[in-house]
Amino acid sequence: MHRITEFFVGLLFGLGLLLSGMTDPAKVLGFLDLFGTWDPSLAFVMGGAIAVGFFAFALARKRTQSFLGGALHLPKSTDIDKRLVIGGLTFGAGWGLAGFCPGPGIVSMASGEVKAAVFVAAMVVGMAIFEVAERSGWRQRMGV
Amino acid sequence: MTIDWANFTPWASLSGGILLGVASAFFILVNGRVLGISGISGGLLPPKLGDAGWRVAFLLGMLAAPLVYGLLAPEGFVQAPRIDAGFATIVAAGLLVGLGTRCGSGCTSGHGVCGLSRLSPRSLVATLAFMGAGFAMVFVVRHVL
């Protein structure tokens, strides 16, 4: 049951990305081009998603279990630190460079786009580098 | 700033956004998980026993989306991705996105959608950071260089 619902949610999320325009890097860059000819569409993506999500998370906070009877894995960290900000800035720089964030990269790879597959491969390498840096203590020594 | 009316798609984007919200709502309430793509995929590096199945099931669902979308979507709603960046830029972007999302513990979905829905100040800061950097990068690439 769990595996079926997880698959279904992944599918639904992918469909949402495709319909919204998020999987089209030219559209994403049009949204990020605030000082050029600006396409505000993606603000509607976030607005629509949060309008629904707000009620779901308000309900989740009041519950102790998921509907399937498992644990509710709500984030515990509330730290606003250098690591969070540097990570956000780094991610945003990469997002603005090619117009892909993780979800749309994965979905466009499945659409058969070679460049999206290269993006996802590089992203996985970046994630792995961070994981190694974290485990070996490089990150802490660099003060991030 | 001028508005790009020719490419403005408020209804498709709003509807797509609502689908993203419904998926996130379903995931937290039914499966008890926060829908964050970088966290779901990054948690597979390396896969941990008993913690990989749900991640793989979710990602397989995402990979099936283009096929299902092609069957369901009315004509004119199927937009092939327009990727102008060259391969070197794509690789640099992927590395930055991978490093940054793991360092900042989230991306557009985990911080931008779920975090802001939870009214988390931490996610608001992360979202402002990545949106700000995204605006700045496009400004530099398109209007300065």
Side-chain angles (χ1 to χ4, degrees):
Chain A
M1 187 60 189
H2 279 85
R3 295 296 95 89
I4 296 168
T5 53
E6 287 145 11
F7 178 88
F8 171 76
V9 177
L11 175 62
L12 194 64
F13 194 79
L15 294 175
L17 289 176
L18 286 159
L19 178 59
S20 67
M22 289 290 294
T23 52
D24 179 13
K27 190 159 186 70
V28 173
L29 295 177
F31 170 71
L32 291 176
D33 193 6
L34 199 56
F35 304 97
T37 321
W38 188 50
D39 174 3
S41 306
L42 299 195
F44 287 68
V45 181
M46 206 166 231
I50 293 171
V52 178
F54 172 78
F55 294 101
F57 281 97
L59 178 60
R61 261 196 301 274
K62 294 195 192 112
R63 296 182 57 93
T64 52
Q65 277 196 327
S66 74
F67 291 170
L68 288 177
L72 272 171
H73 301 275
L74 284 167
K76 286 174 212 73
S77 174
T78 54
D79 299 344
I80 296 175
D81 49 16
K82 221 157 66 173
R83 175 180 166 167
L84 179 79
V85 175
I86 290 176
L89 292 173
T90 307
F91 161 43
W95 190 35
L97 210 48
F100 274 130
C101 55
I106 293 170
V107 171
S108 293
M109 176 177 76
S111 298
E113 295 291 335
V114 176
K115 281 182 178 173
V118 172
F119 170 83
V120 172
M123 177 178 86
V124 170
V125 170
M127 288 178 166
I129 291 172
F130 183 79
E131 189 69 25
V132 171
E134 177 90 340
R135 285 179 188 215
S136 61
W138 297 346
R139 185 181 66 76
Q140 291 80 353
R141 277 201 295 276
M142 284 171 65
V144 178
Chain B
M1 182 210 292
T2 41
I3 302 285
D4 183 6
W5 294 110
N7 289 306
F8 186 43
T9 54
W11 294 111
S13 289
L14 183 66
S15 317
I18 289 171
L19 278 187
L20 301 179
V22 170
S24 307
F26 192 98
F27 214 34
I28 189 64
L29 290 170
V30 175
N31 294 97
R33 299 281 182 187
V34 171
L35 200 164
I37 307 302
S38 58
I40 293 172
S41 33
L44 287 169
L45 298 172
K48 291 161 209 72
L49 199 66
D51 182 56
W54 71 276
R55 299 175 189 274
V56 172
F58 178 91
L59 291 171
L60 287 176
M62 272 184 86
L63 292 173
L67 182 70
V68 175
Y69 189 76
L71 298 172
L72 294 180
E75 215 152 310
F77 274 87
V78 185
Q79 165 73 58
R82 294 167 294 171
I83 311 168
D84 299 328
F87 278 102
T89 308
I90 293 278
V91 169
L95 287 171
L96 288 172
V97 169
L99 281 167
T101 52
R102 293 310 281 160
C103 181
S105 311
C107 59
T108 358
S109 46
H111 280 311
V113 173
C114 294
L116 294 189
S117 294
R118 293 192 299 120
L119 308 179
S120 152
R122 175 175 151 84
S123 287
L124 178 63
V125 170
T127 305
L128 290 175
F130 70 69
M131 297 269 293
F135 288 134
M137 180 57 85
V138 173
F139 177 74
V140 170
V141 169
R142 290 199 173 171
H143 307 291
V144 178
L145 294 182

Short mmCIF file of all heavy atoms in Angstrom, two decimals, chain B residues 34-100:
data_model
loop_
_atom_site.label_atom_id
_atom_site.label_comp_id
_atom_site.label_asym_id
_atom_site.label_seq_id
_atom_site.Cartn_x
_atom_site.Cartn_y
_atom_site.Cartn_z
N VAL B 34 7.53 14.72 4.09
CA VAL B 34 7.60 16.03 3.44
C VAL B 34 8.06 15.82 2.01
O VAL B 34 9.04 15.12 1.77
CB VAL B 34 8.57 16.96 4.19
CG1 VAL B 34 8.81 18.24 3.40
CG2 VAL B 34 8.01 17.30 5.56
N LEU B 35 7.32 16.41 1.07
CA LEU B 35 7.65 16.23 -0.34
C LEU B 35 8.74 17.23 -0.75
O LEU B 35 8.45 18.37 -1.10
CB LEU B 35 6.39 16.41 -1.20
CG LEU B 35 6.44 15.81 -2.60
CD1 LEU B 35 5.03 15.70 -3.17
CD2 LEU B 35 7.32 16.58 -3.54
N GLY B 36 9.98 16.79 -0.65
CA GLY B 36 11.12 17.61 -1.07
C GLY B 36 12.01 16.79 -1.97
O GLY B 36 12.55 15.76 -1.54
N ILE B 37 12.14 17.21 -3.22
CA ILE B 37 12.82 16.35 -4.21
C ILE B 37 14.30 16.16 -3.87
O ILE B 37 14.83 15.04 -3.97
CB ILE B 37 12.70 16.93 -5.63
CG1 ILE B 37 11.22 17.20 -5.97
CG2 ILE B 37 13.31 15.99 -6.66
CD1 ILE B 37 10.33 16.00 -5.90
N SER B 38 14.99 17.24 -3.46
CA SER B 38 16.43 17.07 -3.19
C SER B 38 16.64 16.16 -1.98
O SER B 38 17.58 15.37 -1.96
CB SER B 38 17.11 18.43 -2.99
OG SER B 38 16.52 19.14 -1.93
N GLY B 39 15.76 16.25 -0.99
CA GLY B 39 15.89 15.39 0.19
C GLY B 39 15.58 13.93 -0.13
O GLY B 39 16.27 13.02 0.31
N ILE B 40 14.52 13.74 -0.95
CA ILE B 40 14.12 12.37 -1.31
C ILE B 40 15.23 11.70 -2.12
O ILE B 40 15.62 10.56 -1.84
CB ILE B 40 12.79 12.39 -2.11
CG1 ILE B 40 11.64 12.84 -1.21
CG2 ILE B 40 12.51 11.00 -2.69
CD1 ILE B 40 10.32 13.08 -1.94
N SER B 41 15.80 12.43 -3.10
CA SER B 41 16.85 11.80 -3.92
C SER B 41 18.18 11.76 -3.18
O SER B 41 18.88 10.74 -3.24
CB SER B 41 16.97 12.49 -5.28
OG SER B 41 16.70 13.87 -5.20
N GLY B 42 18.52 12.84 -2.48
CA GLY B 42 19.80 12.86 -1.76
C GLY B 42 19.89 11.79 -0.68
O GLY B 42 20.98 11.31 -0.36
N GLY B 43 18.75 11.38 -0.12
CA GLY B 43 18.72 10.34 0.90
C GLY B 43 19.10 8.96 0.36
O GLY B 43 19.27 8.02 1.13
N LEU B 44 19.24 8.87 -0.96
CA LEU B 44 19.67 7.60 -1.57
C LEU B 44 21.18 7.55 -1.75
O LEU B 44 21.71 6.59 -2.32
CB LEU B 44 18.98 7.42 -2.94
CG LEU B 44 17.49 7.07 -2.89
CD1 LEU B 44 16.88 7.18 -4.27
CD2 LEU B 44 17.29 5.66 -2.35
N LEU B 45 21.88 8.59 -1.29
CA LEU B 45 23.34 8.64 -1.44
C LEU B 45 24.00 8.54 -0.07
O LEU B 45 24.26 9.56 0.56
CB LEU B 45 23.76 9.95 -2.12
CG LEU B 45 23.23 10.19 -3.54
CD1 LEU B 45 23.55 11.60 -4.01
CD2 LEU B 45 23.82 9.18 -4.49
N PRO B 46 24.33 7.37 0.39
CA PRO B 46 24.03 6.06 -0.19
C PRO B 46 22.68 5.57 0.33
O PRO B 46 22.20 6.08 1.35
CB PRO B 46 25.16 5.19 0.38
CG PRO B 46 25.45 5.80 1.71
CD PRO B 46 25.17 7.28 1.59
N PRO B 47 22.06 4.58 -0.32
CA PRO B 47 20.78 4.06 0.17
C PRO B 47 20.95 3.37 1.52
O PRO B 47 21.96 2.69 1.74
CB PRO B 47 20.38 3.03 -0.89
CG PRO B 47 21.42 3.05 -1.94
CD PRO B 47 22.56 3.88 -1.50
N LYS B 48 20.00 3.57 2.41
CA LYS B 48 20.07 2.92 3.73
C LYS B 48 18.99 1.84 3.81
O LYS B 48 17.88 2.04 3.29
CB LYS B 48 19.88 3.95 4.84
CG LYS B 48 21.04 4.91 4.97
CD LYS B 48 20.64 6.16 5.74
CE LYS B 48 21.43 7.39 5.33
NZ LYS B 48 21.08 7.93 3.99
N LEU B 49 19.32 0.76 4.45
CA LEU B 49 18.40 -0.36 4.56
C LEU B 49 17.09 0.08 5.22
O LEU B 49 17.10 0.73 6.27
CB LEU B 49 19.06 -1.47 5.41
CG LEU B 49 18.45 -2.87 5.24
CD1 LEU B 49 18.69 -3.39 3.83
CD2 LEU B 49 19.03 -3.83 6.27
N GLY B 50 15.97 -0.21 4.59
CA GLY B 50 14.66 0.12 5.14
C GLY B 50 14.22 1.55 4.89
O GLY B 50 13.13 1.95 5.27
N ASP B 51 15.09 2.36 4.23
CA ASP B 51 14.75 3.76 4.00
C ASP B 51 14.81 4.10 2.51
O ASP B 51 14.69 5.26 2.13
CB ASP B 51 15.73 4.66 4.79
CG ASP B 51 15.40 6.14 4.64
OD1 ASP B 51 14.25 6.52 4.95
OD2 ASP B 51 16.26 6.91 4.17
N ALA B 52 15.01 3.10 1.67
CA ALA B 52 15.18 3.38 0.24
C ALA B 52 13.90 3.16 -0.56
O ALA B 52 13.65 3.85 -1.54
CB ALA B 52 16.30 2.53 -0.32
N GLY B 53 13.05 2.21 -0.12
CA GLY B 53 11.87 1.82 -0.91
C GLY B 53 10.95 2.98 -1.23
O GLY B 53 10.55 3.17 -2.38
N TRP B 54 10.61 3.79 -0.23
CA TRP B 54 9.66 4.89 -0.46
C TRP B 54 10.26 5.93 -1.39
O TRP B 54 9.55 6.52 -2.22
CB TRP B 54 9.22 5.51 0.87
CG TRP B 54 10.26 6.30 1.61
CD1 TRP B 54 11.21 5.82 2.46
CD2 TRP B 54 10.43 7.73 1.58
NE1 TRP B 54 11.98 6.85 2.95
CE2 TRP B 54 11.52 8.03 2.43
CE3 TRP B 54 9.79 8.77 0.92
CZ2 TRP B 54 11.98 9.34 2.64
CZ3 TRP B 54 10.23 10.07 1.12
CH2 TRP B 54 11.31 10.35 1.97
N ARG B 55 11.56 6.15 -1.28
CA ARG B 55 12.23 7.13 -2.14
C ARG B 55 12.19 6.66 -3.60
O ARG B 55 11.88 7.43 -4.51
CB ARG B 55 13.70 7.31 -1.71
CG ARG B 55 13.84 7.83 -0.27
CD ARG B 55 15.31 7.86 0.16
NE ARG B 55 15.43 8.13 1.58
CZ ARG B 55 15.46 9.37 2.10
NH1 ARG B 55 15.39 10.41 1.30
NH2 ARG B 55 15.55 9.55 3.40
N VAL B 56 12.51 5.38 -3.80
CA VAL B 56 12.54 4.82 -5.16
C VAL B 56 11.13 4.83 -5.76
O VAL B 56 10.93 5.21 -6.91
CB VAL B 56 13.16 3.41 -5.15
CG1 VAL B 56 13.01 2.75 -6.51
CG2 VAL B 56 14.63 3.47 -4.73
N ALA B 57 10.13 4.43 -4.96
CA ALA B 57 8.74 4.40 -5.46
C ALA B 57 8.31 5.79 -5.91
O ALA B 57 7.73 5.96 -7.00
CB ALA B 57 7.80 3.88 -4.38
N PHE B 58 8.62 6.79 -5.11
CA PHE B 58 8.26 8.17 -5.45
C PHE B 58 8.94 8.62 -6.74
O PHE B 58 8.31 9.18 -7.64
CB PHE B 58 8.64 9.12 -4.29
CG PHE B 58 8.34 10.56 -4.58
CD1 PHE B 58 7.12 11.11 -4.23
CD2 PHE B 58 9.26 11.37 -5.24
CE1 PHE B 58 6.82 12.43 -4.52
CE2 PHE B 58 8.98 12.70 -5.54
CZ PHE B 58 7.76 13.22 -5.17
N LEU B 59 10.26 8.36 -6.82
CA LEU B 59 11.02 8.81 -8.01
C LEU B 59 10.54 8.08 -9.27
O LEU B 59 10.47 8.69 -10.35
CB LEU B 59 12.52 8.60 -7.79
CG LEU B 59 13.14 9.53 -6.73
CD1 LEU B 59 14.58 9.12 -6.41
CD2 LEU B 59 13.12 10.99 -7.19
N LEU B 60 10.18 6.81 -9.15
CA LEU B 60 9.65 6.09 -10.32
C LEU B 60 8.34 6.72 -10.78
O LEU B 60 8.08 6.85 -11.98
CB LEU B 60 9.44 4.60 -9.98
CG LEU B 60 10.71 3.75 -9.85
CD1 LEU B 60 10.36 2.33 -9.41
CD2 LEU B 60 11.48 3.73 -11.17
N GLY B 61 7.52 7.16 -9.83
CA GLY B 61 6.28 7.86 -10.18
C GLY B 61 6.57 9.12 -10.96
O GLY B 61 5.93 9.42 -11.98
N MET B 62 7.58 9.88 -10.50
CA MET B 62 7.97 11.11 -11.22
C MET B 62 8.45 10.79 -12.63
O MET B 62 8.14 11.51 -13.58
CB MET B 62 9.09 11.82 -10.47
CG MET B 62 8.61 12.78 -9.42
SD MET B 62 10.00 13.64 -8.69
CE MET B 62 10.20 14.98 -9.82
N LEU B 63 9.22 9.71 -12.75
CA LEU B 63 9.77 9.35 -14.08
C LEU B 63 8.66 8.92 -15.03
O LEU B 63 8.79 9.04 -16.25
CB LEU B 63 10.81 8.23 -13.93
CG LEU B 63 12.11 8.64 -13.22
CD1 LEU B 63 13.00 7.41 -12.97
CD2 LEU B 63 12.88 9.68 -14.03
N ALA B 64 7.53 8.42 -14.48
CA ALA B 64 6.41 7.99 -15.34
C ALA B 64 5.57 9.17 -15.80
O ALA B 64 4.74 9.05 -16.70
CB ALA B 64 5.54 6.99 -14.57
N ALA B 65 5.78 10.35 -15.17
CA ALA B 65 4.90 11.50 -15.43
C ALA B 65 4.85 11.95 -16.90
O ALA B 65 3.75 12.18 -17.41
CB ALA B 65 5.27 12.66 -14.51
N PRO B 66 5.99 12.07 -17.60
CA PRO B 66 5.90 12.56 -18.99
C PRO B 66 5.05 11.65 -19.88
O PRO B 66 4.28 12.13 -20.71
CB PRO B 66 7.36 12.58 -19.47
CG PRO B 66 8.16 12.71 -18.23
CD PRO B 66 7.40 11.93 -17.18
N LEU B 67 5.17 10.33 -19.67
CA LEU B 67 4.40 9.38 -20.46
C LEU B 67 2.90 9.57 -20.20
O LEU B 67 2.09 9.69 -21.12
CB LEU B 67 4.83 7.95 -20.09
CG LEU B 67 4.16 6.82 -20.86
CD1 LEU B 67 4.65 6.82 -22.30
CD2 LEU B 67 4.46 5.47 -20.19
N VAL B 68 2.52 9.63 -18.91
CA VAL B 68 1.11 9.78 -18.54
C VAL B 68 0.59 11.14 -19.00
O VAL B 68 -0.52 11.24 -19.51
CB VAL B 68 0.94 9.61 -17.01
CG1 VAL B 68 -0.49 9.88 -16.58
CG2 VAL B 68 1.37 8.20 -16.59
N TYR B 69 1.42 12.17 -18.86
CA TYR B 69 1.02 13.52 -19.26
C TYR B 69 0.73 13.57 -20.76
O TYR B 69 -0.25 14.18 -21.20
CB TYR B 69 2.11 14.52 -18.90
CG TYR B 69 1.71 15.97 -19.06
CD1 TYR B 69 0.87 16.57 -18.14
CD2 TYR B 69 2.17 16.72 -20.15
CE1 TYR B 69 0.50 17.91 -18.28
CE2 TYR B 69 1.80 18.05 -20.30
CZ TYR B 69 0.97 18.64 -19.37
OH TYR B 69 0.60 19.95 -19.50
N GLY B 70 1.57 12.88 -21.54
CA GLY B 70 1.38 12.83 -22.99
C GLY B 70 0.04 12.21 -23.37
O GLY B 70 -0.58 12.60 -24.36
N LEU B 71 -0.40 11.25 -22.55
CA LEU B 71 -1.68 10.58 -22.84
C LEU B 71 -2.87 11.42 -22.39
O LEU B 71 -3.93 11.41 -23.03
CB LEU B 71 -1.74 9.22 -22.11
CG LEU B 71 -0.67 8.19 -22.52
CD1 LEU B 71 -0.71 6.97 -21.60
CD2 LEU B 71 -0.88 7.75 -23.97
N LEU B 72 -2.71 12.17 -21.29
CA LEU B 72 -3.84 12.89 -20.68
C LEU B 72 -4.01 14.32 -21.19
O LEU B 72 -5.14 14.80 -21.32
CB LEU B 72 -3.67 12.97 -19.15
CG LEU B 72 -3.72 11.67 -18.35
CD1 LEU B 72 -3.52 11.99 -16.87
CD2 LEU B 72 -5.05 10.97 -18.56
N ALA B 73 -2.90 15.00 -21.45
CA ALA B 73 -2.96 16.44 -21.68
C ALA B 73 -3.59 16.75 -23.04
O ALA B 73 -3.29 16.10 -24.03
CB ALA B 73 -1.57 17.05 -21.59
N PRO B 74 -4.46 17.76 -23.07
CA PRO B 74 -5.03 18.19 -24.35
C PRO B 74 -3.93 18.80 -25.23
O PRO B 74 -2.90 19.24 -24.73
CB PRO B 74 -6.05 19.25 -23.95
CG PRO B 74 -5.79 19.60 -22.55
CD PRO B 74 -4.91 18.57 -21.94
N GLU B 75 -4.18 18.80 -26.52
CA GLU B 75 -3.20 19.34 -27.45
C GLU B 75 -2.91 20.81 -27.11
O GLU B 75 -3.80 21.54 -26.71
CB GLU B 75 -3.73 19.25 -28.87
CG GLU B 75 -2.62 18.95 -29.87
CD GLU B 75 -3.16 18.21 -31.08
OE1 GLU B 75 -3.87 17.20 -30.91
OE2 GLU B 75 -2.86 18.66 -32.17
N GLY B 76 -1.67 21.20 -27.26
CA GLY B 76 -1.30 22.57 -26.96
C GLY B 76 -0.78 22.73 -25.54
O GLY B 76 -0.19 23.74 -25.20
N PHE B 77 -1.01 21.71 -24.69
CA PHE B 77 -0.53 21.78 -23.32
C PHE B 77 0.79 21.03 -23.15
O PHE B 77 1.34 20.98 -22.07
CB PHE B 77 -1.57 21.24 -22.34
CG PHE B 77 -2.57 22.27 -21.92
CD1 PHE B 77 -3.71 22.49 -22.67
CD2 PHE B 77 -2.36 23.05 -20.79
CE1 PHE B 77 -4.63 23.45 -22.30
CE2 PHE B 77 -3.27 24.02 -20.41
CZ PHE B 77 -4.42 24.23 -21.17
N VAL B 78 1.24 20.39 -24.23
CA VAL B 78 2.50 19.66 -24.13
C VAL B 78 3.61 20.54 -24.68
O VAL B 78 3.70 20.79 -25.88
CB VAL B 78 2.43 18.33 -24.90
CG1 VAL B 78 3.70 17.53 -24.70
CG2 VAL B 78 1.22 17.53 -24.44
N GLN B 79 4.43 21.07 -23.77
CA GLN B 79 5.53 21.96 -24.15
C GLN B 79 6.84 21.22 -23.90
O GLN B 79 7.16 20.91 -22.77
CB GLN B 79 5.46 23.25 -23.31
CG GLN B 79 6.72 24.09 -23.34
CD GLN B 79 6.89 24.81 -24.67
OE1 GLN B 79 6.05 25.58 -25.11
NE2 GLN B 79 8.02 24.54 -25.33
N ALA B 80 7.56 20.91 -24.96
CA ALA B 80 8.87 20.27 -24.77
C ALA B 80 9.79 21.28 -24.08
O ALA B 80 9.69 22.48 -24.34
CB ALA B 80 9.44 19.87 -26.12
N PRO B 81 10.64 20.81 -23.17
CA PRO B 81 11.55 21.74 -22.48
C PRO B 81 12.43 22.48 -23.47
O PRO B 81 12.96 21.86 -24.40
CB PRO B 81 12.39 20.82 -21.60
CG PRO B 81 11.68 19.51 -21.56
CD PRO B 81 10.86 19.42 -22.80
N ARG B 82 12.52 23.80 -23.33
CA ARG B 82 13.43 24.58 -24.17
C ARG B 82 14.70 24.86 -23.36
O ARG B 82 14.65 25.65 -22.40
CB ARG B 82 12.76 25.89 -24.60
CG ARG B 82 11.55 25.68 -25.53
CD ARG B 82 10.74 26.95 -25.68
NE ARG B 82 10.11 27.32 -24.40
CZ ARG B 82 9.49 28.48 -24.17
NH1 ARG B 82 9.42 29.39 -25.12
NH2 ARG B 82 8.94 28.73 -23.00
N ILE B 83 15.78 24.17 -23.70
CA ILE B 83 17.02 24.25 -22.92
C ILE B 83 18.07 24.97 -23.75
O ILE B 83 18.65 24.39 -24.65
CB ILE B 83 17.51 22.84 -22.51
CG1 ILE B 83 16.35 22.02 -21.91
CG2 ILE B 83 18.67 22.94 -21.53
CD1 ILE B 83 16.65 20.55 -21.74
N ASP B 84 18.28 26.25 -23.44
CA ASP B 84 19.22 27.05 -24.23
C ASP B 84 20.66 26.89 -23.77
O ASP B 84 21.58 27.12 -24.54
CB ASP B 84 18.83 28.54 -24.17
CG ASP B 84 17.43 28.77 -24.74
OD1 ASP B 84 17.07 28.02 -25.68
OD2 ASP B 84 16.72 29.67 -24.26
N ALA B 85 20.86 26.52 -22.51
CA ALA B 85 22.21 26.43 -21.96
C ALA B 85 23.02 25.34 -22.66
O ALA B 85 22.47 24.31 -23.05
CB ALA B 85 22.14 26.15 -20.46
N GLY B 86 24.31 25.59 -22.82
CA GLY B 86 25.21 24.59 -23.40
C GLY B 86 25.59 23.55 -22.36
O GLY B 86 25.28 23.70 -21.17
N PHE B 87 26.30 22.50 -22.80
CA PHE B 87 26.60 21.39 -21.90
C PHE B 87 27.47 21.81 -20.71
O PHE B 87 27.24 21.36 -19.58
CB PHE B 87 27.25 20.23 -22.67
CG PHE B 87 26.23 19.37 -23.36
CD1 PHE B 87 26.01 19.48 -24.72
CD2 PHE B 87 25.46 18.47 -22.63
CE1 PHE B 87 25.04 18.70 -25.36
CE2 PHE B 87 24.50 17.69 -23.26
CZ PHE B 87 24.28 17.80 -24.63
N ALA B 88 28.45 22.70 -20.94
CA ALA B 88 29.32 23.11 -19.84
C ALA B 88 28.50 23.84 -18.77
O ALA B 88 28.68 23.60 -17.57
CB ALA B 88 30.45 24.00 -20.36
N THR B 89 27.59 24.71 -19.21
CA THR B 89 26.74 25.44 -18.27
C THR B 89 25.83 24.48 -17.52
O THR B 89 25.61 24.63 -16.31
CB THR B 89 25.89 26.48 -19.04
OG1 THR B 89 26.76 27.27 -19.84
CG2 THR B 89 25.12 27.37 -18.09
N ILE B 90 25.30 23.49 -18.24
CA ILE B 90 24.40 22.51 -17.63
C ILE B 90 25.13 21.74 -16.52
O ILE B 90 24.58 21.53 -15.43
CB ILE B 90 23.89 21.50 -18.71
CG1 ILE B 90 22.97 22.20 -19.71
CG2 ILE B 90 23.22 20.30 -18.07
CD1 ILE B 90 21.55 22.38 -19.28
N VAL B 91 26.37 21.34 -16.78
CA VAL B 91 27.15 20.60 -15.78
C VAL B 91 27.41 21.49 -14.56
O VAL B 91 27.22 21.07 -13.41
CB VAL B 91 28.48 20.08 -16.39
CG1 VAL B 91 29.40 19.54 -15.30
CG2 VAL B 91 28.19 19.00 -17.42
N ALA B 92 27.82 22.74 -14.80
CA ALA B 92 28.08 23.66 -13.69
C ALA B 92 26.79 23.87 -12.88
O ALA B 92 26.81 23.84 -11.64
CB ALA B 92 28.59 25.00 -14.22
N ALA B 93 25.67 24.04 -13.58
CA ALA B 93 24.39 24.26 -12.90
C ALA B 93 24.02 23.05 -12.05
O ALA B 93 23.60 23.19 -10.90
CB ALA B 93 23.30 24.55 -13.93
N GLY B 94 24.19 21.86 -12.60
CA GLY B 94 23.86 20.63 -11.87
C GLY B 94 24.68 20.49 -10.61
O GLY B 94 24.16 20.15 -9.53
N LEU B 95 26.00 20.76 -10.72
CA LEU B 95 26.88 20.66 -9.55
C LEU B 95 26.44 21.64 -8.47
O LEU B 95 26.33 21.28 -7.29
CB LEU B 95 28.34 20.95 -9.95
CG LEU B 95 29.05 19.85 -10.76
CD1 LEU B 95 30.39 20.36 -11.28
CD2 LEU B 95 29.25 18.60 -9.90
N LEU B 96 26.16 22.90 -8.87
CA LEU B 96 25.74 23.92 -7.89
C LEU B 96 24.41 23.53 -7.23
O LEU B 96 24.24 23.67 -6.02
CB LEU B 96 25.60 25.29 -8.58
CG LEU B 96 26.89 25.99 -9.00
CD1 LEU B 96 26.58 27.22 -9.85
CD2 LEU B 96 27.70 26.39 -7.76
N VAL B 97 23.48 23.01 -8.04
CA VAL B 97 22.17 22.63 -7.50
C VAL B 97 22.31 21.45 -6.53
O VAL B 97 21.72 21.44 -5.45
CB VAL B 97 21.17 22.30 -8.64
CG1 VAL B 97 19.90 21.65 -8.10
CG2 VAL B 97 20.82 23.57 -9.41
N GLY B 98 23.15 20.48 -6.89
CA GLY B 98 23.37 19.33 -6.01
C GLY B 98 24.00 19.73 -4.69
O GLY B 98 23.53 19.37 -3.61
N LEU B 99 25.10 20.49 -4.79
CA LEU B 99 25.79 20.95 -3.57
C LEU B 99 24.88 21.83 -2.72
O LEU B 99 24.75 21.64 -1.51
CB LEU B 99 27.03 21.78 -3.96
CG LEU B 99 28.29 21.03 -4.40
CD1 LEU B 99 29.27 22.01 -5.05
CD2 LEU B 99 28.95 20.36 -3.19
N GLY B 100 24.25 22.81 -3.37
CA GLY B 100 23.47 23.82 -2.65
C GLY B 100 22.25 23.24 -1.96
O GLY B 100 21.95 23.59 -0.82
#
